[in-house]
Amino acid sequence: MITCTLNGKKYAVDFITGRALREMEPAAKMYSRIVALSSAALKGETPEDAKELSIGEAMDVMIRWFCILFGNQFTPDDVLDHYPVDRLMHDIALALMAVQTQTTGILDEFPTKAAKTEA
């Protein structure tokens, strides 16, 4: 079972559906583009397609897919209003990778907890 807690309410799915796999391509493409833009920015480069990608539009595509992952039990607005921003992109990327590699058994609870670093 995979759960997601938003605004104090817990949503659960027993398994990831074929629809989540089928509908993931646009979200995976957007995530790849964001990663490429971020990498280029770190190098001081500006890719040719940088002006064609709005971070907001990319997030919308990825968040819509995350809702599909949980059977549309919550809306994109629920995610935007109640999901912790410091986990949002990381968690969607984790879910995308797990579905793409068919290793969804690693998924457990969202939002995930950040790894603790030793002092």
Side-chain angles (χ1 to χ4, degrees):
M1 178 176 296
I2 303 163
T3 64
C4 182
T5 304
L6 292 174
N7 200 26
K9 186 171 181 187
K10 189 173 268 192
Y11 303 91
V13 290
D14 292 325
F15 58 92
I16 303 302
T17 64
R19 180 171 304 282
L21 176 62
R22 184 176 141 232
E23 301 291 332
M24 74 173 279
E25 186 177 352
K29 283 183 179 179
M30 286 298 183
Y31 181 72
S32 294
R33 290 181 70 192
I34 289 172
V35 169
L37 285 175
S38 297
S39 295
L42 288 173
K43 297 175 189 173
E45 301 169 355
T46 304
E48 289 181 28
D49 67 343
K51 292 183 177 126
E52 298 172 18
L53 178 65
S54 155
I55 298 298
E57 290 171 350
M59 284 181 61
D60 287 348
V61 169
M62 294 169 65
I63 290 169
R64 276 193 299 275
W65 177 80
F66 193 69
C67 292
I68 290 169
L69 184 73
F70 280 91
N72 290 312
Q73 296 178 72
F74 47 81
T75 67
D77 283 338
D78 292 330
V79 175
L80 287 167
D81 293 340
H82 303 290
Y83 208 95
V85 71
D86 60 335
R87 304 306 309 157
L88 182 60
M89 297 300 282
H90 172 272
D91 287 358
I92 293 174
L94 172 67
L96 281 166
M97 287 184 266
V99 172
Q100 189 171 36
T101 60
Q102 297 182 18
T103 55
T104 57
I106 67 164
L107 300 177
D108 183 27
E109 186 176 335
F110 292 95
T112 61
K113 307 277 188 276
K116 293 183 180 179
T117 56
E118 293 186 33

